[in-house]
């Protein structure tokens, strides 16, 4: 319902809905009119209404913005892009976009906070994010943006280097490293060969941005590794998109050792973000 100022000699009216349509006045009485509108089923976010009256010329009234939120959370929340790689210095802003898929098959753009979406950065010193999902790269390191709507989440990872793309970042405190049993192939005329599968599991509530590699060191004398880069570093092949390790997700790698003596195979293992050099 729209009220027209009594001082105007209005002859007609309309309501413009930004980005959607224009509604003609109904029951126009000169000082008041109404218009009906059904919000599209796939719409979510801010909806701005602009009332206008014709009084010899077009007279615009004050805009009114309403928030349109779905009654139920989405079945799935999907970020338009999940991985970003930046090199400092940069002044670029990155805008987050997300859509929701619902049980009835409807998809809605949930990028706006007006749709009930909340953004948060795991490391604001690396990447900050405002309430509308606009991200600013601030420093080098790793950051994960959580996009949440009604408790349903998706994640966007940022890997920002300060001019050295080979800088390794220790993530060992964020994973569980499980070593399988040693399988021995022995021949008295040659060195003994040992095989072992190592499983790395993400123990955090956020994805770990890739690339990731495993490093082993501290082996006894006369025990050497082969495979990887030949110096105890092994690039990990990550599942799914190959760019991150999701919460509770695991990746396995096979290690091979040549034992030139009789010392037990003992070593320290760590996981890093970065590429094997």
């Amino acid at each position: 319902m729209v009220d027209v100022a009594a001082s105007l000699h209005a002859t007609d009216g309309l309501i413009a809905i930004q980005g959607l349509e224009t509604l003609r006045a109904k029951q126009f009485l000169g000082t008041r009119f109404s218009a009906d509108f059904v919000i599209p089923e796939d719409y979510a976010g801010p909806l701005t209404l602009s009332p206008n009256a014709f009084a010899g010329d077009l007279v615009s009234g004050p805009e009114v913005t309403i928030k349109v939120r779905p009654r139920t959370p989405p079945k799935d929340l999907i970020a338009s892009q999940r991985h970003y790689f930046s090199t400092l210095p940069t002044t670029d802003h990155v805008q987050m976009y997300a859509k929701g898929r619902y049980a009835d098959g409807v998809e809605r753009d949930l990028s706006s906070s007006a749709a009930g979406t909340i953004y948060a950065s795991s490391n604001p010193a690396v990447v900050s994010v405002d309430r509308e999902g606009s991200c600013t790269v601030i420093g080098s390191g790793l950051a994960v943006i959580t996009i949440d709507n009604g408790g349903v989440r998706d994640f966007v990872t940022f890997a920002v280097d300060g001019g050295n793309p080979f800088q390794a970042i220790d993530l060992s405190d964020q994973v569980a490293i499980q070593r399988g049993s040693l399988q021995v192939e022995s021949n008295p005329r040659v060195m003994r060969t040992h095989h072992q599968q190592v499983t790395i599991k993400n123990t955090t509530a956020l994805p770990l941005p890739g690339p990731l590699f495993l490093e082993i060191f501290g082996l006894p004398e006369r025990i050497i590794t082969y495979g990887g880069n030949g110096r105890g570093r092994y690039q990990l092949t990550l599942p799914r998109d190959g760019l991150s390790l999701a919460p509770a997700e695991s990746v396995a790698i096979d290690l091979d050792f040549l034992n030139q003596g009789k010392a037990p195979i003992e070593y320290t293992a760590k996981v890093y973000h970065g590429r094997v050099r």
Side-chain angles (χ1 to χ4, degrees), residues 11-83:
T11 58
D12 201 355
L14 60 85
I15 297 177
I17 304 176
Q18 284 186 10
L20 292 177
E21 61 178 292
T22 298
L23 309 176
R24 299 299 302 184
K26 292 175 59 178
Q27 300 175 348
F28 183 73
L29 301 175
T31 59
R32 174 175 292 185
F33 66 89
S34 64
D36 295 331
F37 173 69
V38 177
I39 299 173
E41 186 180 18
D42 61 354
Y43 189 87
L47 196 60
T48 301
L49 311 178
S50 303
N52 299 277
F54 294 97
D57 201 354
L58 184 66
V59 180
S60 298
E63 292 184 345
V64 176
T65 299
I66 61 175
K67 297 178 180 180
V68 180
R69 296 186 179 183
R71 293 181 178 178
T72 59
K75 182 179 179 182
D76 297 297
L77 187 65
I78 305 156
S80 61
Q81 184 171 332
R82 290 193 173 99
H83 309 283

Side-chain angles (χ1 to χ4, degrees), residues 18-251:
Q18 284 186 10
L20 292 177
E21 61 178 292
T22 298
L23 309 176
R24 299 299 302 184
K26 292 175 59 178
Q27 300 175 348
F28 183 73
L29 301 175
T31 59
R32 174 175 292 185
F33 66 89
S34 64
D36 295 331
F37 173 69
V38 177
I39 299 173
E41 186 180 18
D42 61 354
Y43 189 87
L47 196 60
T48 301
L49 311 178
S50 303
N52 299 277
F54 294 97
D57 201 354
L58 184 66
V59 180
S60 298
E63 292 184 345
V64 176
T65 299
I66 61 175
K67 297 178 180 180
V68 180
R69 296 186 179 183
R71 293 181 178 178
T72 59
K75 182 179 179 182
D76 297 297
L77 187 65
I78 305 156
S80 61
Q81 184 171 332
R82 290 193 173 99
H83 309 283
Y84 291 89
F85 302 90
S86 300
T87 299
L88 294 176
T90 179
T91 58
D92 294 340
H93 293 269
V94 179
Q95 179 62 49
M96 301 288 98
Y97 297 98
K99 66 180 178 180
R101 290 178 179 167
Y102 292 80
D104 54 9
V106 172
E107 291 189 356
R108 298 183 176 99
D109 183 350
L110 301 178
S111 304
S112 172
S113 64
T117 297
I118 300 171
Y119 298 91
S121 173
S122 67
N123 194 346
V126 175
V127 179
S128 66
V129 62
D130 67 17
R131 65 191 308 270
E132 295 302 330
S134 178
C135 296
T136 303
V137 175
I138 297 173
S140 61
L142 305 178
V144 178
I145 305 299
T146 300
I147 308 175
D148 184 296
N149 187 285
V152 180
R153 296 179 173 181
D154 200 5
F155 304 98
V156 177
T157 64
F158 280 81
V160 183
D161 69 71
N164 180 9
F166 299 105
Q167 182 72 37
I169 300 174
D170 191 351
L171 301 179
S172 302
D173 62 346
Q174 301 178 50
V175 299
I177 302 174
Q178 183 177 3
R179 309 178 192 186
S181 59
L182 283 166
Q183 307 296 320
V184 183
E185 294 179 2
S186 183
N187 187 318
R189 293 176 298 177
V190 297
M191 297 172 290
R192 289 181 297 172
T193 301
H194 298 257
H195 305 279
Q196 184 179 53
Q197 186 174 79
V198 176
T199 302
I200 298 98
K201 180 179 181 180
N202 180 359
T203 57
T204 74
L206 299 174
L208 299 180
L212 303 177
F213 68 84
L214 174 74
E215 181 175 14
I216 64 171
F217 52 92
L219 281 166
E221 291 185 9
R222 303 192 70 189
I223 296 178
I224 61 175
T225 64
Y226 60 96
N229 71 340
R231 298 186 300 277
R233 289 187 171 187
Y234 301 81
Q235 200 74 51
L236 301 179
T237 301
L238 302 179
R240 297 179 302 108
D241 56 21
L243 295 174
S244 65
L245 191 65
E249 198 167 47
S250 299
V251 61

Side-chain angles (χ1 to χ4, degrees), residues 253-270:
I253 188 167
D254 292 320
L255 304 184
D256 295 293
F257 305 91
L258 292 179
N259 192 345
Q260 299 171 297
K262 296 184 178 181
I265 296 179
E266 298 176 347
Y267 57 88
T268 299
K270 288 194 171 186

